[in-house]
Amino acid sequence: MTASSEHIVHEIEPVFDRHSRVLILGTMPSPKSREEGFFYGHPRNRFWTVLASLFHEPVPATNQRKRDLLLRHGIALWDVLASCDIEGASDASIKNAKPNDLTRITSAAPIEAVFCTGAKSAELYRRYCESQTGIPAVQLPSTSPANAAMDTETLTAAYQVILDHLEAPRHVALHVPEVVALEQAIAADGTSLAELMDRAGGFLAFYTHTLHPEGRIAVLCGTGNNGGDGWVAAGWLAEAGHDVVLITPRSADELRAEPAKSAAQKLMQALPESCRILIAPEADAVAAELKAADVIIDAILGTGFSGDSVKEPFARWIEEACACRESGTAVIAADCPSGYSAETGKAASPCIKADETVTMITSKVGLERPWAFTYCGNVTVAPIAYTRPYLDETQPDEPEEQPADAPAPGKPDEQFRRPENEDDDGYDPYSDRPATPEPLFQQDPWN
Ligand SMILES: NC(=O)C1=CN([C@@H]2O[C@H](COP(=O)(O)OP(=O)(O)OC[C@H]3O[C@@H](n4cnc5c(N)ncnc54)[C@H](OP(=O)(O)O)[C@@H]3O)[C@@H](O)[C@H]2O)[C@@H](O)CC1
Ligand SMILES: [K+]
């Protein structure tokens, strides 16, 4: 051991489970990663930026979110070495290397490909581990600041190869009480409801910003936890450079639902300059703000809504948002369009018609109804938690094909309200919505 090198023992547990298909290996955690207690912890290391970019997700900000991202996508993560002598984070200085026992992962998970994040880990893997696992490694470029000459776009392109070995995410549609039970189970296992809401608002903002990188955003917030998603998203979008106005019937302190109240209070404590909060504004002021917006986020009502009609002031807000959408403003719904039942798929009066719906954690049965597109637009599941361990063996892989209470042909459900100018397929030929895609209608329902 040289004077400036130290003996390091790897103390970060590997990430994997029985669904991991790809194993990514570095050499040894850097001093910063050891301090953070997780892999690739240096703020200038681009590993997490590259992975987030591969999966079109926000960059995970905490160790728990990083772990979650890996498991959701079937990626196992560890390092080649169990211990070595090393100078700082310099792979070139490594001496007295002892490898990790990678069969701990390969015997428990169907690993079909191994990737090494840099030349040194690939070299050490070939020397010590390949005979153990029987899987040759693919060498990827290092994401470390030492490889700054390679830009992040090129790095991401190189890492695309990982995707060939991963499964597409499964979309399970749950009933609303099942979604609530799922969130409670995840919270009981250590990912709090506040954390889930923070992730929900983050994904909502990320997808909004991806679709509309510039422009003014109006966030309509209800008083329940759907509103909480809106409060989180508003802060995120203001930080990302948007002019944001958040419209709420109650101040943060007057909200009662948790974790929405805490999320709103957190935003108020560090309110970005470009985020204005309007509390119980007059209807005319709401209309003016919505008209001035390029994008409206609907975080008024989510899975907690039921009934045939929406109470004021939300009914008026919804009507104004729909009118703005007719004039070209984009509408993005948080979890489900306000006034639309995520359980039955029934639209109340009035009901938001969204271009996009960012639904949290998993799809819901109401969003899978054949007519859902009319109200929800494109539905994207925001994967705010790793749900597979909770859903395996208890849930079907596919949503039911023919919902039992779908209106029978020729016998329209009297309670199912739809605007006059919609045709029989639930498509409004006079709206500004593009005619395609309508994937649900491409299937032959009689097959
Ligand atoms: N749980 C979590 O941790 C997470 C939850 N998440 C999010 O929470 C959402 C579910 O939140 P939730 O259960 O609070 O219900 P929510 O959809 O906000 O509605 C309740 C509000 O609606 C109101 N209201 C009801 N009927 C009405 C009517 N007819 N007309 C008018 N208003 C009516 C009712 O008002 P009240 O009648 O009580 O005055 C109450 O204020 C879910 O969709 C997801 O977005 C995610 O962030 C993940 C983490
Ligand atoms: K909503």
Side-chain angles (χ1 to χ4, degrees):
M1 202 159 73
T2 64
S4 57
S5 74
E6 54 177 329
H7 183 69
I8 302 297
V9 176
H10 199 310
E11 282 175 352
I12 305 174
E13 274 294 288
V15 178
F16 69 99
D17 72 3
R18 67 193 175 93
H19 304 294
S20 307
R21 306 170 74 89
V22 153
L23 171 59
I24 302 182
L25 297 166
T27 47
M28 191 72 179
S30 68
K32 188 67 188 163
S33 295
R34 298 201 297 276
E35 189 187 311
E36 296 289 322
F38 207 66
F39 306 91
Y40 306 96
H42 195 288
R44 284 174 51 225
N45 191 302
R46 292 163 292 168
F47 182 80
W48 299 108
T49 309
V50 166
L51 282 204
S53 170
L54 279 187
F55 299 114
H56 310 289
E57 292 185 17
V59 180
T62 62
N63 293 349
Q64 197 188 32
R65 293 185 197 184
K66 290 170 184 172
R67 204 183 135 73
D68 216 83
L69 179 151
L70 295 167
L71 293 174
R72 277 194 281 111
H73 292 290
I75 298 174
L77 189 64
W78 208 9
D79 289 308
V80 172
L81 297 184
S83 66
C84 67
D85 300 335
I86 187 168
E87 292 172 25
S90 163
D91 277 358
S93 69
I94 285 173
K95 302 235 164 53
N96 299 325
K98 290 213 170 48
N100 271 319
D101 177 11
L102 299 183
T103 59
R104 196 177 145 195
I105 297 176
T106 53
S107 64
I111 299 294
E112 59 176 67
V114 174
F115 296 92
C116 291
T117 59
K120 190 68 180 179
S121 61
E123 177 202 322
L124 292 167
Y125 177 86
R126 284 179 195 122
R127 190 182 318 161
Y128 297 114
C129 310
E130 191 171 323
S131 57
Q132 234 182 37
T133 63
I135 308 173
V138 175
Q139 182 184 321
L140 293 171
S142 169
T143 53
S144 133
N147 188 25
M150 186 173 283
D151 63 42
T152 306
E153 216 168 67
T154 312
L155 267 182
T156 308
Y159 276 67
Q160 290 272 350
V161 63
I162 293 171
L163 300 181
D164 295 344
H165 301 275
L166 301 178
E167 287 178 324
R170 298 188 313 165
H171 292 297
V172 178
L174 298 186
H175 293 279
V176 167
E178 291 173 327
V179 176
V180 174
L182 175 64
E183 284 169 352
Q184 298 288 348
I186 291 170
D189 284 347
T191 305
S192 69
L193 294 178
E195 167 67 12
L196 289 178
M197 179 168 287
D198 205 53
R199 295 182 190 183
F203 270 96
L204 175 61
F206 174 80
Y207 293 138
T208 301
H209 181 66
T210 304
L211 290 167
H212 306 278
E214 287 171 5
R216 290 171 71 119
I217 298 183
V219 187
L220 293 170
C221 289
T223 53
N225 284 320
N226 192 247
D229 295 351
W231 282 84
V232 176
W236 201 104
L237 286 162
E239 295 290 357
H242 293 270
D243 269 335
V244 178
V245 60
L246 184 150
I247 299 169
T248 171
R250 290 188 201 147
S251 69
D253 290 341
E254 289 164 343
L255 293 174
R256 283 190 287 271
E258 284 291 2
K261 179 177 185 165
S262 301
Q265 287 174 325
K266 189 172 158 199
L267 179 67
M268 294 308 293
Q269 277 158 18
L271 191 65
E273 250 179 47
S274 57
C275 186
R276 289 178 297 129
I277 310 288
L278 298 190
I279 300 165
E282 296 292 330
D284 289 351
V286 175
E289 292 292 350
L290 295 185
K291 281 195 183 86
D294 300 297
V295 181
I296 296 170
I297 291 186
D298 154 36
I300 305 173
L301 302 164
T303 52
F305 170 76
S306 61
D308 295 331
S309 63
V310 175
K311 290 180 278 190
E312 296 295 353
F314 302 138
R316 183 80 184 266
W317 293 9
I318 291 172
E319 279 158 5
E320 293 291 353
C322 288
C324 289
R325 181 169 175 269
E326 290 294 315
S327 318
T329 310
V331 175
I332 299 180
D335 213 17
C336 63
S338 295
Y340 186 87
S341 166
E343 177 62 19
T344 63
K346 193 184 286 181
S349 175
C351 182
I352 283 280
K353 280 185 167 186
D355 298 287
E356 306 283 333
T357 293
V358 177
T359 197
M360 308 310 167
I361 215 165
T362 186
S363 188
K364 287 98 193 166
V365 290
L367 306 183
E368 305 278 334
R369 299 303 196 212
W371 58 87
F373 183 80
T374 304
Y375 297 97
C376 305
N378 299 308
V379 177
T380 304
V381 175
I384 61 171
Y386 180 44
T387 55
R388 196 162 180 171
Y390 302 90
L391 301 178
D392 266 0
E393 281 110 41
T394 57
Q395 295 299 327
D397 281 354
E398 300 294 332
E400 50 189 321
E401 275 184 20
Q402 290 292 326
D405 57 344
K411 277 185 161 187
D413 182 345
E414 289 306 319
Q415 289 173 298
F416 177 55
R417 303 174 61 93
R418 60 169 36 152
E420 279 169 16
N421 55 347
E422 274 180 12
D423 68 11
D424 291 347
D425 295 329
Y427 176 64
D428 173 355
Y430 302 106
S431 86
D432 57 339
R433 185 194 302 290
T436 55
E438 292 194 32
L440 287 171
F441 291 99
Q442 287 167 6
Q443 288 167 8
D444 179 354
W446 307 112
N447 259 342

